[in-house]
């Protein structure tokens, strides 16, 4: 969806036709991935699961609101470029509490003045060992992905070079979306977070492309999965694992019993044949089993 520079986007989540999101500008709908041709809106803390809700959107073009249009659910395609982050699978608390926020001075960071910078990533680091701990930019991601991969740092916001140059104030943990990334409230209200401003070029962004590692059916109806078996098992709920084990027992136990019965029957038939042959040869040797002519 494309609009003019002064147009506003107004996403809506109809919950009994009364739940609306705030009015968002095109600048606020930036996707975290370079090269995306559409806009991204991250809606979280929904009253129900997203699949149980319907979404509609409308835009203001040249000062006039157009009609509400339903947001179509696109079939998952493993080959399609992913422009969004992994959304929070839980309710994000303390969104509006100032105790879980910290205002930082962007001007105090050592930025690189170069035309190749596409975005400046604000990275929150929970490590306390040393002031200059290394950060692997190939593993930078949103908080949900970082927690899943057990990484101590995550991207809490992305700013354009214009915003950084203008000294735009920034508060870590304000619970808003900045450049497609959710700025999660801090986990500890008494600790000042360590943060780093990481300049990112377009080429470097390709190395940390945000991706949704999921399994599902592509647009051709074939099942595709970009998860390893270990990752897939770790994402299954406990009841699914127990049900799977119970199902395997129901399948393996009868199969093993049938195999045992077949082997026992074959072995028994073989034993009977061996005993019959042995008795025949013994009778023939005594002369009692010789045929009468």
């Amino acid at each position: 969806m494309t609009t003019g520079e002064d147009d506003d986007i107004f996403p809506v989540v109809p919950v009994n036709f009364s739940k609306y999101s705030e009015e968002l500008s095109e600048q606020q709908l930036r996707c975290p991935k370079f090269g995306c041709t559409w806009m991204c809106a991250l809606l979280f803390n929904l009253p129900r699961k997203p699949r149980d809700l319907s979404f509609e959107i409308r835009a203001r073009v040249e000062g006039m609101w157009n009609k509400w249009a339903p947001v179509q659910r696109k079939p998952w395609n493993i080959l399609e470029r992913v422009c969004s982050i992994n959304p929070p699978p839980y309710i994000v608390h303390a969104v509006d509490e100032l105790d879980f926020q910290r205002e930082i001075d962007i001007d105090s960071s050592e930025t690189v003045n170069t035309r190749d910078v596409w975005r400046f990533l604000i990275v929150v680091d929970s490590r306390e060992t040393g002031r200059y701990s290394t950060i692997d930019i190939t593993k930078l991601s949103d908080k949900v992905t970082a927690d899943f991969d057990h990484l101590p740092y995550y991207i809490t916001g992305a700013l354009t070079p214009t915003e950084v140059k203008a000294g735009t104030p920034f508060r870590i943990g304000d619970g808003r979306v900045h450049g497609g990334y959710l700025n999660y409230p801090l986990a500890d209200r008494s600790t000042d977070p360590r943060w780093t401003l990481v300049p990112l070029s377009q080429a470097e962004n390709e190395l940390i492309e945000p991706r949704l590692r999921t399994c599902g059916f592509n647009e051709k109806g074939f099942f595709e999965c970009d998860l390893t078996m270990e990752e897939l098992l770790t994402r299954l709920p406990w009841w699914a694992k127990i049900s799977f084990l119970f199902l395997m027992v129901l399948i393996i136990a009868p199969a093993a019993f049938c195999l045992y019965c077949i082997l026992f029957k074959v072995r028994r038939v073989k034993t009977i044949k061996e005993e019959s042959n042995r008795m025949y040869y013994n009778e023939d040797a005594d002369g009692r089993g010789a045929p009468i002519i």
Side-chain angles (χ1 to χ4, degrees):
M1 179 177 182
T2 59
T3 61
E5 295 182 356
D6 298 330
D7 298 334
D8 294 327
I9 311 300
F10 197 11
V12 60
V13 186
V15 182
N16 297 328
F17 303 97
S18 61
K19 180 66 176 179
Y20 297 88
S21 72
E22 63 177 335
E23 186 175 339
L24 302 173
S25 64
E26 186 176 357
Q27 187 72 6
Q28 294 174 294
L29 296 173
R30 297 193 306 261
C31 294
K33 181 67 180 68
F34 174 77
C36 294
T37 57
W38 51 82
M39 300 178 184
C40 300
L42 179 62
L43 304 176
F44 59 98
N45 286 1
L46 300 176
R48 295 196 297 271
K49 296 181 179 180
R51 63 174 174 266
D52 298 331
L53 300 172
S54 59
F55 298 85
E56 293 183 354
I57 188 173
R58 68 175 179 176
R60 187 172 63 191
V61 182
E62 297 180 354
M64 298 292 294
W65 287 103
N66 56 19
K67 296 181 179 180
W68 291 107
V71 178
Q72 301 294 333
R73 298 182 183 273
K74 299 179 59 179
W76 177 68
N77 185 4
I78 192 175
L79 301 178
E80 189 175 60
R81 180 187 295 272
V82 177
C83 289
S84 60
I85 64 172
N86 284 314
Y90 46 79
I91 297 296
V92 181
H93 298 284
V95 172
D96 298 324
E97 298 186 20
L98 295 178
D99 292 343
F100 295 90
Q101 303 178 17
R102 295 293 186 275
E103 186 171 353
I104 60 176
D105 184 11
I106 299 295
D107 295 334
S108 64
S109 61
E110 297 180 359
T111 59
V112 179
N113 296 322
T114 173
R115 68 181 63 181
D116 295 332
V117 175
W118 173 65
R119 294 277 175 85
F120 284 94
L121 304 180
I122 301 177
V123 179
V124 175
D125 194 343
S126 61
R127 292 174 294 183
E128 299 180 356
T129 56
R131 181 179 178 184
Y132 299 101
S133 300
T134 59
I135 295 178
D136 188 355
I137 66 170
T138 61
K139 297 181 179 180
L140 284 178
S141 58
D142 56 89
K143 190 176 187 303
V144 173
T145 306
D147 291 342
F148 180 81
D149 294 334
H150 304 289
L151 296 175
Y153 45 81
Y154 63 92
I155 303 173
T156 197
L159 303 178
T160 63
T162 303
E163 291 174 329
V164 173
K165 187 177 181 180
T168 303
F170 190 88
R171 294 184 67 89
I172 296 179
D174 63 359
R176 304 182 68 84
V177 179
H178 300 272
Y181 292 95
L182 178 57
N183 188 11
Y184 286 84
L186 298 174
D188 189 359
R189 67 175 68 191
S190 61
T191 303
D192 290 332
R194 295 178 53 215
W195 61 276
T196 305
L197 193 65
V198 179
L200 192 70
S201 65
Q202 297 177 5
E204 291 170 335
N205 185 74
E206 295 295 332
L207 299 177
I208 63 167
E209 176 182 352
R211 60 193 183 277
L212 291 173
R213 294 179 295 180
T214 55
C215 291
F217 292 91
N218 58 21
E219 57 186 4
K220 295 183 179 179
F222 297 104
F223 183 79
E224 298 283 353
C225 186
D226 54 351
L227 294 172
T228 63
M229 182 58 66
E230 182 180 359
E231 292 175 337
L232 184 60
L233 292 177
T234 56
R235 296 194 179 190
L236 291 177
W238 64 269
W239 56 266
K241 297 178 182 178
I242 294 178
S243 301
F244 178 75
L245 291 176
F246 183 72
L247 181 62
M248 293 299 295
V249 170
L250 291 180
I251 295 176
I252 294 177
F257 180 75
C258 293
L259 181 62
Y260 171 78
C261 293
I262 293 174
L263 293 177
F264 179 78
K265 186 175 181 180
V266 171
R267 185 176 180 182
R268 185 178 180 182
V269 171
K270 184 178 180 181
T271 304
I272 293 175
K273 286 184 177 180
E274 291 178 352
E275 291 180 354
S276 300
N277 293 334
R278 191 180 302 112
M279 292 178 61
Y280 175 79
Y281 288 122
N282 289 337
E283 292 178 358
D284 186 57
D286 295 337
R288 292 176 296 180
I292 301 176
I293 303 177

